[in-house]
Amino acid sequence: MPSAMFLAVQHDCGPMDKSAGTGPKSEEKREKMKRTLLKDWKSRLSYFLQNSSSPGKPKTSKKSKQQTFTKPSPEEAQLWSEAFDELLASKYGLAAFRAFLKSEFCEENIEFWLACEDFKRTKSPQKLSSKAKKIYTDFIEKEAPKEINIDFQTKTLIAQNIQEATSGCFTTAQKRVYSLMENNSYPRFLESEFYQDLCKKPQITTEPHAT
């Protein structure tokens, strides 16, 4: 259940409300909220990193798992701003973006995109058929638990296509959701406190030389 803090700060995939008052108390309140947001972000990020392995893939060793979860350097994080694909290609970046979408109550978009990526890699016709029906039930049909925002015509076409499922069943819908994320959620992610925090270079303090 989303926390009351997130309900108050973000809603309907929109940016944070910056209309708070001014003054020392307001500034202190904003800083406290910022710290709380970052803490919540990190707990969400940890969850997505630990649950980001693809279905059917063997578990990695502790050593490789440790390397996979390494926090990116500021330079690596800055690369994510160059293209949306750069963000999605990074395991840490993808987990961070999922955590961000969850905070905006839009996580169904990235979950649908990931389900489509997994679907396209499926070779078995039997598995293709069962996965197609699950994706349709979870994301496409009316009042689906994670219903995505696509037009009625596309939904009707998908309903027809899954009767004889092929790897291209969801191509049109996936492209539309990708475009939606790239043009709306992605720019807001780049402006988020969490992403800005990742891009900050640690300040190096030097001792003044004695004269």
Side-chain angles (χ1 to χ4, degrees), residues 172-184:
T172 301
Q174 187 183 16
K175 284 180 179 177
R176 291 190 182 184
V177 166
Y178 178 95
S179 178
L180 185 68
M181 293 190 295
E182 183 179 33
N183 295 317
N184 293 288

Side-chain angles (χ1 to χ4, degrees), residues 9 14 24 35 46-47 50 52 59 65-66 68 71-72 88-89 92 126 140 148 155 160-161 176 184 208:
V9 175
R35 288 194 298 271
S46 176
Y47 170 81
Q50 291 174 33
S52 59
K59 289 185 178 179
K65 190 175 181 182
Q66 187 78 24
T68 302
K71 182 180 177 180
L88 297 180
Y92 197 103
Q126 290 81 10
I140 307 297
I148 56 171
K155 287 189 175 190
Q160 294 169 356
N161 288 343
R176 291 190 182 184
N184 293 288

